[in-house]
Amino acid sequence: MPWTGRGGVTLSPQAAAVGTGVRVIDPDAVLVRQHLGGDPKAFEALFRKYQTPIFNLVTRMVRGEDAYDLTQDVFLKAYRSLKTFRGDSKFSTWLFTIARHTCLNHLRHKNVITEDSLEESQEEHPGNEPIDANMDVARLCETRELQRIVDKVLVTLPAEARLLLILRDFEQLSYEEICQVTELSLVNVKSKIHRARQAFKKRFQPYLAILEGGNVR
Amino acid sequence: MSGGMGNSTTQCAPVREALSDYVEGSLPSPRQQLIERHIKECSDCAHEERQMRMLMHLLHHQVPRREPALDIWAEMAPKIAAIDQEEKLAFGGRLKLKAGRFLGSVAAGAIVFTQVLAANTEARMSKYVKNDPFTANEGSRVA
């Protein structure tokens, strides 16, 4: 097993692969081993650690009440197949891959997946939707308001662009991790993320103008 | 069109394409410097860069994660216990359990199907049913 070092010390796949001699213990892999060894609390610890990132991804992908059921589905699928987790990738990457499949299958099943390209969806949402006349920097910077507006813009993007933006800009996964989750090449991932950001920026333009005026940074 | 350089439209396109990588600092150093120089001279690209930087800062640091308001674990724990229970059974036991669940679903489906079929048949056949002569005028006689 690639993630088990000498004397049962568990290594992160990166440390093992790079072979720098520096042993970095991957706490998730330790928990997986403990779970497989029969510790009933180990999986709950993994769940507590990842429930927010997974819920965040799921709720921004599907929106609505289904997010709770789908989050459960992701963890139940992970629970069932934890025995097959080989540790070739990080546990978090493996979990995000399950979440990606679950969300896309759900959207396909509900017939709400948007297979159209960014260009086609750009025609439908050119970014000039009217914004609230009372909107100003102070109101826009309120957490809930910002969250609402960002999600409103995000939902106008095709599913794949939305997923890539969430993984990179919200969850801040590395490009390599995103390649593993999406099964795309690095060049493809970088180019798609760039185009997704451009599309998001275009639709978010009225709010950016407000923020620019008030200098959000 | 560039605000700073009249002939820079051809230079602007590749700069715009690489802008988010530039903001992230993930470009090779010579390319990073090339874009930096261009941005200093081109006001349009500088504006684009400023906005992209602002957007990425916003998404990375200012938009909080959506957190679950309900306790998902509380709802999930019994399902996990059921999975554990199922996995503890021997192969024969699991087969029996799955066969039982399958037969249960088939039986429930068959009941629903026969009910729908009966209702449908009754609706289609009702026009052929003759009125009972003994009870046909019962209502009017009582009245």
Side-chain angles (χ1 to χ4, degrees):
Chain A
M1 286 193 291
W3 42 279
T4 308
R6 248 180 294 161
V9 176
T10 310
L11 305 177
S12 76
Q14 288 79 6
V18 172
T20 54
V22 179
R23 291 187 174 190
V24 182
I25 296 172
D26 179 4
D28 295 343
V30 172
L31 286 168
V32 171
R33 275 181 65 79
Q34 285 174 351
H35 166 77
L36 295 177
D39 181 350
K41 289 282 168 198
F43 187 76
E44 187 178 349
L46 285 168
F47 170 81
R48 300 266 175 224
K49 183 172 176 186
Y50 288 107
Q51 68 162 331
T52 303
I54 295 297
F55 181 79
N56 183 49
L57 171 80
V58 170
T59 200
R60 290 200 148 115
M61 282 300 291
V62 305
R63 293 174 67 102
E65 297 292 311
D66 293 334
Y68 282 96
D69 290 340
L70 286 179
T71 304
Q72 268 194 51
D73 277 359
V74 171
F75 282 100
L76 290 173
K77 278 179 194 163
Y79 190 81
R80 279 183 191 276
S81 47
L82 212 50
K83 273 181 272 175
T84 64
F85 174 66
R86 290 175 298 148
D88 296 339
S89 62
K90 284 163 73 179
F91 174 78
S92 56
T93 314
W94 182 74
L95 197 61
F96 274 118
T97 310
I98 297 177
R100 171 193 158 235
H101 284 295
T102 307
C103 290
L104 294 183
N105 284 343
H106 173 82
L107 292 173
R108 238 171 249 134
H109 183 69
K110 288 229 159 187
N111 268 339
V112 291
I113 198 154
T114 44
E115 298 284 6
D116 54 341
S117 66
L118 273 172
E119 288 72 23
E120 283 166 9
S121 70
Q122 188 66 50
E123 284 167 20
E124 284 175 40
H125 303 278
N128 53 6
E129 283 95 345
I131 64 168
D132 189 344
N134 300 322
M135 187 62 75
D136 57 21
V137 183
R139 200 178 139 200
L140 191 54
C141 286
E142 279 172 22
T143 310
R144 277 179 180 276
E145 189 63 7
L146 189 63
Q147 213 173 33
R148 188 186 66 79
I149 292 166
V150 164
D151 285 352
K152 197 176 122 192
V153 175
L154 201 59
V155 84
T156 65
L157 298 178
E160 191 189 40
R162 199 155 75 231
L163 175 79
L164 288 167
L165 269 191
I166 296 168
L167 292 175
R168 180 66 192 153
D169 288 334
F170 292 78
E171 291 304 327
Q172 298 183 29
L173 265 63
S174 70
Y175 281 113
E176 287 71 23
E177 287 170 333
I178 297 174
C179 290
Q180 288 174 7
V181 172
T182 57
E183 295 159 51
L184 293 170
S185 70
L186 184 63
V187 176
N188 217 347
V189 163
K190 281 194 166 192
S191 130
K192 281 175 186 254
I193 288 179
H194 173 70
R195 282 192 287 136
R197 279 177 182 154
Q198 291 282 27
F200 186 93
K201 184 167 143 311
K202 202 163 187 178
R203 289 159 212 209
F204 197 70
Q205 197 62 48
Y207 302 101
L208 267 184
I210 293 173
L211 291 171
E212 222 176 5
N215 192 11
V216 71
R217 283 173 294 178
Chain B
M1 259 308 268
S2 160
M5 298 173 77
N7 62 344
S8 62
T9 317
T10 48
Q11 289 174 26
C12 289
V15 167
R16 302 276 171 100
E17 274 301 304
L19 218 48
S20 66
D21 287 342
Y22 170 77
V23 171
E24 284 188 313
S26 61
L27 290 172
S29 182
R31 187 107 193 268
Q32 195 86 8
Q33 287 167 4
L34 207 71
I35 294 177
E36 199 175 327
R37 271 204 300 277
H38 175 81
I39 283 171
K40 277 183 187 158
E41 294 167 358
C42 174
S43 59
D44 283 356
C45 287
H47 182 242
E48 280 289 314
E49 187 264 347
R50 217 169 33 246
Q51 285 202 331
M52 183 59 86
R53 199 174 284 280
M54 185 184 284
L55 179 70
M56 282 163 66
H57 175 82
L58 189 93
L59 297 181
H60 287 192
H61 304 292
Q62 290 188 293
V63 182
R65 277 172 167 161
R66 292 246 172 225
E67 296 202 25
L70 306 174
D71 184 2
I72 300 176
W73 181 257
E75 207 177 314
M76 215 172 74
K79 292 178 188 169
I80 284 183
I83 294 172
D84 284 342
Q85 205 67 34
E86 194 181 311
E87 280 178 358
K88 270 182 199 154
L89 292 171
F91 178 72
R94 276 209 297 273
L95 202 67
K96 264 187 196 169
L97 189 74
K98 284 193 176 159
R101 278 185 196 159
F102 175 72
L103 288 175
S105 309
V106 169
I111 290 168
V112 171
F113 177 72
T114 47
Q115 289 293 320
V116 170
L117 196 68
N120 191 28
T121 310
E122 192 180 351
R124 277 194 297 131
M125 294 296 154
S126 59
K127 60 182 171 186
Y128 300 113
V129 176
K130 279 185 179 174
N131 287 335
D132 184 351
F134 296 105
T135 56
N137 299 325
E138 216 168 57
S140 56
R141 219 179 293 155
V142 170

